[in-house]
């Protein structure tokens, strides 16, 4: 599968963000991408106070634009994540579109990023966001894919549940910061790939040192063996990455971790 990763700059103007995203998606599709992923919160600056201000309901301006991007370029599209309003609640939500522009999956960020790192970053998403409660996977011509958002990746049970469903790749729109990014970005994507013997892909906003929240950037793709197949820099960037999905069976045959689990002693199960 030829994957397009779009690492975008984010501006105050939502319309400009949508215009630039559409241009990037078209360029990646023209270059041969069959599947494209956008970053977390690409249509608004990443700040808790902004989420309610930029939030729109399902079917709103950004949702419609993403649907059109997928349909006009005839690609599969993970629309990064955007602030979604549902009644009084606001969610950090990712929508997935098929090549006919139909939304085939929706993931609301399950684990809200509430942290206070001594000498580093303080950020509380729960001040303005509500949490989702669904493990998200969806079918594609290449197999079953999983989807989570940023902080969700830190919880190994979530990726394991996706792998047990049969996921061969987990996509993660994300915006790690300059405290957590250097420490954990590569490590988390490589470890989840190795733990579950699947591909992991992270798409981040480009770095803006003048922003109140500075993205670490470095969008990346990791193989089931833990090899980094691609790592972006810090500037806006479009990239094509080939995912050889035959590696899944090859790695799992050589090192059958999922078969060696002691389910007579422990288990990871879905409650809902």
């Amino acid at each position: 599968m030829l994957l397009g990763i779009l690492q975008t700059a984010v501006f105050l103007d939502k319309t400009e963000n949508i215009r630039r995203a559409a241009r990037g998606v078209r360029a990646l599709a023209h270059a041969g991408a069959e599947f494209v992923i956008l970053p977390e919160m690409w249509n608004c600056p990443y700040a808790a106070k902004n989420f309610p201000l930029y939030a729109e309901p399902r079917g709103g301006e950004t949702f419609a634009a993403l649907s059109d991007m997928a349909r006009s370029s005839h690609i599969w599209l993970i629309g990064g994540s955007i602030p979604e309003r549902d009644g009084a609640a606001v969610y950090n939500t990712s929508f997935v579109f098929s090549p006919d522009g139909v939304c085939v999956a929706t993931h609301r960020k399950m684990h809200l990023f509430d942290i206070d790192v001594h000498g580093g970053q303080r950020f509380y998403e729960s001040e303005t966001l509500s949490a989702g409660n669904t493990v998200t996977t969806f079918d594609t011509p290449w197999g079953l894919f999983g989807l989570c958002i940023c902080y969700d990746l830190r919880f190994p049970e979530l990726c394991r549940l996706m792998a047990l469903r049969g996921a061969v790749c987990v996509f993660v729109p994300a915006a790690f910061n300059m405290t957590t990014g250097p420490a954990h970005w590569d490590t988390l994507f490589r470890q989840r790939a190795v733990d579950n013997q699947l591909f992991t892909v992270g798409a981040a906003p480009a770095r803006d040192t003048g922003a109140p929240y500075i993205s670490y950037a470095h969008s990346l793709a990791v193989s089931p063996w833990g090899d980094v197949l691609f790592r972006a820099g810090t500037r806006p960037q479009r990239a094509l990455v080939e995912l050889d999905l035959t590696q899944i069976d090859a790695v799992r045959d050589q090192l059958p971790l999922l078969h060696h689990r002691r389910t007579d002693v422990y288990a990871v199960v879905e409650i809902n």
Side-chain angles (χ1 to χ4, degrees):
M1 184 183 83
L2 195 58
L3 169 70
I5 300 176
L6 187 59
Q7 181 167 285
T8 59
V10 180
F11 302 91
L12 287 171
D13 186 342
K14 181 194 290 188
T15 301
E16 177 66 10
N17 291 328
I18 293 173
R19 186 186 70 81
R20 287 173 178 258
R23 185 174 65 190
V25 168
R26 284 195 303 269
L28 286 166
H30 182 73
E34 303 164 285
F35 202 112
V36 175
I37 179 172
L38 276 67
E40 181 181 22
M41 290 295 182
W42 59 270
N43 76 338
C44 72
Y46 195 100
K49 66 178 182 180
N50 286 335
F51 302 148
L53 299 177
Y54 285 76
E56 56 188 65
R58 181 187 179 96
E61 177 187 5
T62 306
F63 181 100
L66 290 167
S67 173
D68 182 67
M69 291 177 210
R71 183 177 57 254
S72 61
S73 292
H74 199 65
I75 57 165
W76 286 80
L77 176 65
I78 294 180
S81 78
I82 64 172
E84 176 209 8
R85 185 175 297 282
D86 186 356
V90 176
Y91 297 93
N92 184 343
T93 304
S94 181
F95 298 106
V96 182
F97 297 88
S98 64
D100 55 5
V102 173
C103 182
V104 297
T106 302
H107 180 74
R108 289 171 168 171
K109 191 173 187 176
M110 294 177 63
H111 305 89
L112 297 184
F113 186 57
D114 287 2
I115 63 137
D116 191 353
V117 179
H118 181 67
Q121 185 80 26
R122 181 193 183 279
F123 199 93
Y124 279 80
E125 283 188 327
S126 64
E127 291 175 350
T128 54
L129 293 177
S130 297
N133 58 9
T134 303
V135 180
T136 305
T137 54
F138 57 97
D139 285 307
T140 75
W142 302 277
L144 189 75
F145 290 163
L147 175 63
C148 63
I149 299 174
C150 201
Y151 196 51
D152 286 339
L153 188 67
R154 289 185 176 273
F155 299 86
E157 300 89 346
L158 181 57
C159 282
R160 175 52 53 89
L161 287 170
M162 295 179 196
L164 292 178
R165 286 186 181 182
V168 295
C169 182
V170 173
F171 289 96
V172 192
F176 279 35
N177 58 55
M178 294 304 295
T179 299
T180 61
H184 302 143
W185 177 259
D186 277 33
T187 299
L188 282 168
F189 279 92
R190 295 186 69 194
Q191 193 60 60
R192 295 296 165 262
V194 170
D195 284 346
N196 299 289
Q197 300 178 307
L198 44 67
F199 289 91
T200 56
V201 177
R207 188 178 301 175
D208 178 0
T209 56
Y213 181 99
I214 303 174
S215 170
Y216 179 62
H218 293 301
S219 300
L220 83 173
V222 180
S223 80
W225 194 251
D227 297 320
V228 175
L229 304 175
F230 164 78
R231 184 189 290 105
T234 61
R235 298 173 60 83
Q237 187 171 348
R238 298 191 293 261
L240 290 173
V241 184
E242 185 175 19
L243 303 186
D244 180 3
L245 296 169
T246 64
Q247 291 183 23
I248 301 291
D249 287 341
V251 169
R252 291 179 180 179
D253 286 346
Q254 296 172 68
L255 194 63
L257 298 181
L258 297 178
H259 290 297
H260 288 166
R261 291 177 300 118
R262 288 291 305 275
T263 54
D264 58 321
V265 178
Y266 57 81
V268 179
V269 297
E270 294 188 48
I271 296 174
N272 296 324

